[in-house]
Amino acid sequence: MDHQVVEQALAALATSGSRQLDRDCDRYARRYIAEGVEPQFDVSSVDFGRDPYFICADRYWNHRMSDEPTLHTAVECAGWLREHVAPGCRTEIREKWSLGYAFITRDSVESLDEVADATRDIVANDDQECSRAYFATLYHAGKLRANFCFDELNQFLQSSPLSMAAGSHRETPLFVALQAFAAFGSRRVTEEYARSLFDRAWSASGRTYAATDIALNGLAVGVPFAGQGELLSAHAEAALAEHPDNHIFYYRLATGQYLCGAHDAALNSIDTALRLLPAIGWRVSHELLQGQYLTKREAILNGRTEAHRAAADRERVQHHEHTIAGMTDTVRNSMLRTIEVVSIFAAVIAFAVGSLNISLNGNLRLADRLWIVTLLGAGLILFALLIVGGSWLIARRLAGDRNE
């Protein structure tokens, strides 16, 4: 391959439209792979939309990682990055590539034995900055993160020889954010510990875009805890203040609002994320992200429907309770009045009949007749009072059942 001719052709693509630029850069990337050589040009920007050198390099390593998604390929990518990417862009591209390639190759997690074998070669041939070990660590950790293997990720970051070989990179905000992600999802560590790692990553002065996204992702998918949705929403809004019109952070915001039950706001946020999702870049990544966003949108719509149905059910129950309460009061009052009237009439009739029988019987003296009539009347009055008291107790019981 004549590298100079290819590089001149790439430079001429800078004025092409985005779709044409993507296709042509991908064609040259495949040509590099077909001829078994690596690009020799240098990359001095992270412009996915206009820089043909960066786009071609991204396509090239994307194809390489997809064809052979191993730590060995990751190490080769890390070596090329160190030699051909400007220092000012190196950190951003390292994080973008390692985690991005891990996401699209997440179905090929290497075993512990494979990781151990690769680690020996990495450590033996790494530079003083441990750049290859760090890239490989991020790549393997990214696969575990994409598969929600929280405990495995936590163990890998804490004690794996490959992770240890990353040296001072273990203190970077991204590394700490990955630890926070693992802690949020693990049921073996406390929420307080996860929150402390999150705060540490978030407050770091060198916090990068990738560290911000990983930290928010941990909040979104971790074990549920009180105030999770509010915390995620607040930090997603802070991330949007730093990166306006970022589709991923709108997606994180939608997740937080959904957890808070703010379905209308969440629907607006996820629609904004879908609208802002760029049509440029690697199509597989675009389709995977779009699929995630659409799945979240469907969940929000379902939650919104369920919330409306639950509100309608509560309104119907309250209406029935009010209706039943009114009917109970009416029935209770009617019952009391009926019992009182019946009791009085029964007492009067019984008293009258008893008095008449006694009065008509001429065998007793007048004083004895009057005394018997008085006792009979008092007994009937007591009987009426007992009936009224029983009615009052029944009414109290009805009122108590209604309150329960």
Side-chain angles (χ1 to χ4, degrees):
M1 172 183 286
D2 190 332
H3 290 283
Q4 185 175 1
V5 171
V6 173
E7 291 168 20
Q8 290 175 349
L10 286 172
L13 296 176
T15 58
S16 302
S18 61
R19 280 300 180 194
Q20 184 65 38
L21 181 60
D22 285 342
R23 285 193 293 268
D24 288 341
C25 288
D26 187 72
R27 178 167 54 85
Y28 283 114
R30 292 179 183 276
R31 181 177 172 185
Y32 278 114
I33 291 174
E35 298 193 21
V37 295
E38 294 182 355
Q40 297 301 305
F41 53 76
D42 294 332
V43 173
S44 58
S45 80
V46 195
D47 187 349
F48 262 117
R50 302 305 314 163
D51 186 350
Y53 295 115
F54 175 64
I55 297 172
C56 183
D58 178 67
R59 297 295 184 278
Y60 171 80
W61 286 109
N62 202 314
H63 286 305
R64 286 282 306 273
M65 297 299 297
S66 297
D67 293 341
E68 190 179 355
T70 65
L71 290 174
H72 291 291
T73 309
V75 168
E76 292 180 9
C77 179
W80 188 91
L81 188 152
R82 177 174 172 77
E83 294 176 5
H84 294 279
V85 174
C89 305
R90 202 169 291 164
T91 296
E92 185 175 355
I93 293 179
R94 178 195 293 123
E95 295 180 349
K96 184 183 294 288
W97 281 1
S98 60
L99 297 175
Y101 299 157
F103 179 70
I104 64 175
T105 61
R106 61 191 182 281
D107 59 343
S108 59
V109 180
E110 294 176 271
S111 67
L112 295 177
D113 290 338
E114 291 172 323
V115 173
D117 290 341
T119 299
R120 285 191 288 269
D121 294 335
I122 294 170
V123 173
N125 298 285
D126 208 354
D127 51 63
Q128 293 181 348
E129 297 180 3
C130 306
S131 60
R132 290 173 172 80
Y134 184 48
F135 190 100
T137 297
L138 293 179
Y139 177 64
H140 187 71
K143 288 184 179 181
L144 296 176
R145 170 237 177 179
N147 288 307
F148 304 107
C149 299
F150 300 106
D151 291 323
E152 292 86 344
L153 175 58
N154 184 59
Q155 182 178 2
F156 171 73
L157 295 173
Q158 292 288 347
S159 58
S160 168
L162 177 57
S163 172
M164 294 295 182
S168 61
H169 294 289
R170 292 171 56 84
E171 301 300 320
T172 62
L174 177 56
F175 192 94
V176 178
L178 284 166
Q179 289 180 309
F181 177 92
F184 273 124
S186 175
R187 287 175 169 80
R188 299 179 182 178
V189 300
T190 64
E191 173 200 332
E192 291 75 15
Y193 176 68
R195 290 281 297 272
S196 67
L197 288 171
F198 176 86
D199 292 339
R200 180 181 161 197
W202 193 268
S203 61
S205 59
R207 174 167 53 88
T208 60
Y209 170 86
T212 301
D213 182 45
I214 295 293
L216 292 176
N217 191 197
L219 268 180
V221 302
V223 177
F225 61 89
Q228 179 183 15
E230 291 80 2
L231 189 65
L232 176 57
S233 298
H235 284 83
E237 289 176 350
L240 283 169
E242 298 174 359
H243 304 275
D245 297 332
N246 182 274
H247 60 92
I248 291 180
F249 293 150
Y250 270 107
Y251 170 66
R252 305 297 182 210
L253 177 59
T255 302
Q257 293 167 333
Y258 171 70
L259 293 175
C260 292
H263 298 100
D264 290 338
L267 184 61
N268 180 65
S269 295
I270 198 64
D271 285 344
T272 303
L274 285 164
R275 177 175 57 82
L276 293 174
L277 184 63
I280 60 175
W282 188 247
R283 297 305 303 166
V284 174
S285 299
H286 179 276
E287 291 170 2
L288 288 172
L289 288 173
Q290 188 179 57
Q292 282 189 340
Y293 294 1
L294 290 174
T295 300
K296 179 63 66 177
R297 189 179 194 278
E298 183 177 0
I300 292 169
L301 286 174
N302 290 337
R304 186 170 178 263
T305 300
E306 290 298 324
H308 288 169
R309 184 180 294 116
D313 290 341
R314 286 194 300 270
E315 185 177 351
R316 282 194 295 269
V317 169
Q318 291 174 355
H319 175 71
H320 291 324
E321 287 179 347
H322 290 315
T323 302
I324 293 172
M327 292 174 62
T328 302
D329 290 337
T330 301
V331 171
R332 181 189 61 193
N333 294 332
S334 299
M335 184 182 298
L336 287 174
R337 294 189 187 96
T338 301
I339 292 174
E340 290 170 357
V341 171
V342 171
S343 300
I344 293 171
F345 271 101
V348 170
I349 293 171
F351 180 76
V353 172
S355 300
L356 180 62
N357 291 332
I358 292 171
S359 299
L360 294 176
N361 190 343
N363 296 328
L364 297 175
R365 292 181 295 107
L366 178 60
D368 292 334
R369 293 174 185 174
L370 292 175
W371 178 248
I372 291 173
V373 170
T374 300
L375 291 177
L376 181 60
L380 291 174
I381 290 172
L382 179 61
F383 174 71
L385 290 174
L386 289 174
I387 293 177
V388 172
S391 301
W392 180 78
L393 290 175
I394 292 172
R396 287 290 302 274
R397 181 60 184 271
L398 287 173
D401 292 342
R402 185 188 66 185
N403 292 333
E404 291 177 0

